[in-house]
Amino acid sequence: STDLTSTVGYDSIIQHLNDGRKNCKEFEDFLKERAIIEEKYGKELINLSKKKPCGQTELNTLKRSLDVFKQQIDNVGQGHIQLAQTLREEAKKMEDFREKQKLHRKKIELIMEAIHKNRNLQYKKTMEVKQMWGYFLPYGLCSTFLLSPIFWQLFLKLAQTKSALEDTDRSYQQSVTTLEKIREEWQNEHIKACEFFETQECERINYFRNALWLHVNQLSLGCVQNDEKYEEIRKSLEMCSIEKDVDFFVNLRKTGSLAPAPVAYENYYNAQRNVTPARSPAPVPISRRGPLPTPTSAPGEPDYATVDGYSLV
């Protein structure tokens, strides 16, 4: 500003820097809130996998798949808890960065406040001396005034004030000289402060940008790690064999390979007669069923238990 005592430009810079600090604080709070959500979600997943029954009476290969399923869900929960801790660490780094910038900037602000105060006081003093000097100007020795009768009436007063006039002039000159030195000092300090503030703002934007980039990478990494755990579940389901599970159950619970024989008729009424009882048919071994059908998916649904061609992208 052309006004020597104005701080409108400086105030605008300080306001912008304070807004930047506020924005960093908002992102810091966002990370903390996200950490709370991730931790709560992770704990809920772990509790779900440990406490909620999920096919606990299944046997053989499907049982192993379900065990893998619950273990990987537990691992996903642990991953979310670890992500929550990572987010808290990133929030702490943002807080440390923000407070460090505040501390460094405060030193410059104190210097600028002092020099603004000194500049304004000297400017006020100089203007007061200038006004005092202007008070004596009407008594200047112009030709018109010399011809006026009032001149002779004021001549004595002018002589008396001549010494004060000279002192005032010297004081005015000294004030102007001092003000100019202070103005140059203020201008130099103002330029240094602006350069410092610009450096800080560049650092803040760069740090903020990198922090946001890192946060997104962390979330992406969490998704990839979770998908790897889910892939273990899919691989386990690939090993699940319907034929083997049915055979396993049959072998585990089998009671024999022959069906019960038919009950023969016995004639208790005519027990005296020699009746040749009907011969019971020989037990017939139970034949196994044909091959089980392969599970199929409904139209529009993903293929059953397959990971062929699967991509993590």
Side-chain angles (χ1 to χ4, degrees):
S1 174
T2 56
D3 182 3
L4 182 59
T5 60
S6 174
T7 59
V8 60
Y10 178 81
D11 294 340
S12 178
I13 293 175
I14 296 299
Q15 180 62 47
H16 179 71
L17 295 176
N18 289 335
D19 289 342
R21 182 170 178 269
K22 178 182 177 183
N23 293 337
C24 289
K25 181 64 167 59
E26 290 175 352
F27 182 64
E28 174 190 327
D29 293 339
F30 178 90
L31 291 178
K32 292 179 180 178
E33 290 294 329
R34 179 64 186 266
I36 293 174
I37 295 172
E38 291 290 342
E39 183 175 46
K40 182 178 179 181
Y41 180 57
K43 289 181 177 179
E44 291 292 338
L45 282 179
I46 293 173
N47 290 336
L48 178 64
S49 66
K50 290 182 177 179
K51 297 180 180 180
K52 190 68 175 178
C54 184
Q56 59 184 350
T57 61
E58 286 293 345
L59 303 171
N60 207 32
T61 61
L62 183 55
K63 176 177 174 56
R64 289 196 292 270
S65 294
L66 288 172
D67 290 342
V68 173
F69 166 72
K70 295 192 71 175
Q71 180 60 49
Q72 294 304 326
I73 292 300
D74 183 277
N75 291 341
V76 170
Q78 295 290 351
H80 282 283
I81 293 177
Q82 181 59 43
L83 177 58
Q85 180 60 29
T86 301
L87 295 180
R88 290 192 179 95
E89 292 173 358
E90 292 303 318
K92 185 63 171 60
K93 291 179 183 178
M94 177 62 75
E95 179 183 5
D96 293 342
F97 172 79
R98 180 170 53 83
E99 290 301 320
K100 182 179 69 175
Q101 278 209 331
K102 176 186 176 182
L103 182 63
H104 291 171
R105 188 166 69 245
K106 190 63 178 179
K107 298 176 182 179
I108 302 299
E109 290 180 11
L110 290 175
I111 294 174
M112 293 303 296
E113 288 176 5
I115 202 168
H116 283 162
K117 183 178 181 180
N118 187 31
R119 179 200 63 185
N120 293 345
L121 287 175
Q122 185 61 36
Y123 181 79
K124 181 180 180 182
K125 179 180 179 181
T126 301
M127 292 301 101
E128 289 174 352
V129 174
K130 181 179 180 181
Q131 290 177 357
M132 186 179 296
W133 168 245
Y135 171 77
F136 293 104
L137 288 180
Y139 300 103
L141 301 179
C142 62
S143 58
T144 303
F145 185 70
L146 289 175
L147 298 177
S148 171
I150 302 176
F151 169 76
W152 303 106
Q153 298 175 6
L154 298 178
F155 182 79
L156 180 60
K157 186 177 181 179
L158 179 62
Q160 294 173 350
T161 59
K162 181 178 180 181
S163 178
L165 182 64
E166 292 175 351
D167 291 341
T168 301
D169 181 58
R170 284 194 298 271
S171 178
Y172 177 46
Q173 291 181 16
Q174 290 174 358
S175 294
V176 171
T177 301
T178 303
L179 178 61
E180 177 59 20
K181 291 181 180 180
I182 293 176
R183 188 197 67 80
E184 291 179 355
E185 181 184 2
W186 159 76
Q187 183 168 297
N188 292 334
E189 290 297 328
H190 182 81
I191 292 173
K192 292 178 182 178
C194 288
E195 291 173 347
F196 176 81
F197 293 151
E198 181 177 359
T199 300
Q200 270 208 334
E201 180 66 0
C202 292
E203 290 177 352
R204 186 192 69 83
I205 294 175
N206 182 64
Y207 190 90
F208 201 156
R209 172 184 176 274
N210 291 345
L212 189 57
W213 193 300
L214 178 62
H215 175 61
V216 175
N217 285 349
Q218 290 167 346
L219 296 180
S220 295
L221 178 61
C223 292
V224 172
Q225 291 174 342
N226 286 346
D227 198 77
E228 290 175 352
K229 297 176 179 67
Y230 298 143
E231 179 67 9
E232 291 300 318
I233 299 173
R234 287 188 287 265
K235 290 179 179 178
S236 172
L237 290 173
E238 285 285 353
M239 303 302 296
C240 176
S241 169
I242 301 174
E243 187 79 24
K244 289 181 180 179
D245 285 3
V246 173
D247 288 341
F248 181 85
F249 171 76
V250 170
N251 293 328
L252 180 67
R253 304 289 183 171
K254 67 183 178 180
T255 56
S257 60
L258 299 176
V263 178
Y265 170 75
E266 296 183 18
N267 191 342
Y268 293 100
Y269 175 74
N270 193 5
Q272 301 300 324
R273 296 183 180 183
N274 294 326
V275 179
T276 302
R279 181 176 299 178
S280 300
V284 180
I286 300 175
S287 61
R288 290 300 304 273
R289 73 277 184 248
L292 294 173
T294 301
T296 58
S297 303
E301 293 182 352
D303 292 339
Y304 173 80
T306 179
V307 293
D308 293 337
Y310 177 77
S311 173
L312 288 179
V313 176

